[in-house]
Amino acid sequence: MMKSEARAVGRKTLVPALSREMKCPHSYNDDEELSLDVECEGCPGSQDLSNDRCLTGILQILASEAEPEVLMLKRYIHRRYRESRLAPVLAAASELAALNRALSTRPEPSDGRCLTCPASMHRLADGLRNELLERPVEFMNDRSRAIDNIKKGLGGVKCARARACVAAVLEDGFVGGV
């Protein structure tokens, strides 16, 4: 066995839905309406929008790609989602996209305290993004609970700019003005 073959023998590969940062195999179909077709054969668990892991993979796709009119989850039996069932998913994907942009284009902190402050815009956006990706079904059903979870950790912050940072992330844009 060659050295590269020996290294590859014992390695595990992750199923896309097991990692919050990976996207499931997918394609767009534009017959009569724009459809996002997601291949679910390699994923464990149910292919359903009520499954957090499945929904996380779908949100990752929708946050960086086109917004479909129909979502099709394909396995042995295909599941199709339209309008009313798809609307909250698209809203959550839009929020995830906004949080991703905020994390990638954030201004550098003015001093070392902002780097570690729990009320800094970057840490709040990261915390809200984690809440969204860990429990997307709960987040879609009750966004205010996720925001309350983030705010609970801010009780002891003694920064004069903390209130402005919290407002910028939680109230002014990323979560629909909550």
Side-chain angles (χ1 to χ4, degrees):
M1 222 186 303
M2 295 177 65
K3 193 174 192 177
S4 62
E5 290 173 350
R7 276 188 259 166
V9 169
R11 294 199 178 183
K12 294 180 182 178
T13 58
L14 291 177
V15 176
L18 293 179
S19 171
R20 292 185 301 131
E21 303 301 326
M22 295 191 67
K23 298 178 185 178
C24 297
H26 62 281
S27 62
Y28 281 89
N29 185 355
D30 191 16
D31 289 336
E32 293 178 20
E33 52 195 0
L34 186 61
S35 172
L36 171 61
D37 300 338
V38 180
E39 295 296 330
C40 300
E41 288 184 20
C43 295
S46 63
Q47 68 193 61
D48 194 344
L49 293 181
S50 62
N51 176 353
D52 278 339
R53 287 296 174 192
C54 183
L55 185 54
T56 297
I58 292 166
L59 290 175
Q60 289 287 4
I61 295 167
L62 293 173
S64 62
E65 298 186 27
E67 186 175 294
E69 297 169 286
V70 176
L71 172 64
M72 176 85 73
L73 302 179
K74 294 182 167 186
R75 198 179 271 172
Y76 305 110
I77 297 173
H78 300 347
R79 291 184 182 234
R80 180 175 301 199
Y81 297 95
R82 296 179 186 266
E83 297 145 7
S84 64
R85 284 294 309 262
L86 193 55
V89 175
L90 294 174
S94 176
E95 291 173 11
L96 178 60
L99 291 167
N100 287 342
R101 281 191 303 277
L103 289 169
S104 66
T105 61
R106 68 183 168 97
E108 288 300 316
S110 59
D111 58 23
R113 286 181 289 164
C114 285
L115 288 173
T116 59
C117 178
S120 71
M121 287 195 283
H122 180 262
R123 293 189 73 166
L124 285 170
D126 189 48
L128 191 58
R129 182 180 185 277
N130 287 336
E131 284 282 326
L132 172 58
L133 292 176
E134 281 295 321
R135 291 176 287 285
V137 172
E138 181 180 317
F139 188 91
M140 287 179 2
N141 291 335
D142 190 6
R143 288 174 174 80
S144 61
R145 182 180 297 166
I147 292 168
D148 289 344
N149 287 342
I150 298 294
K151 286 183 176 180
K152 283 179 188 175
L154 303 176
V157 176
K158 305 244 189 282
C159 176
R161 294 186 347 218
R163 189 168 278 183
C165 290
V166 170
V169 174
L170 299 182
E171 293 154 7
D172 292 344
F174 299 122
V175 291
V178 172

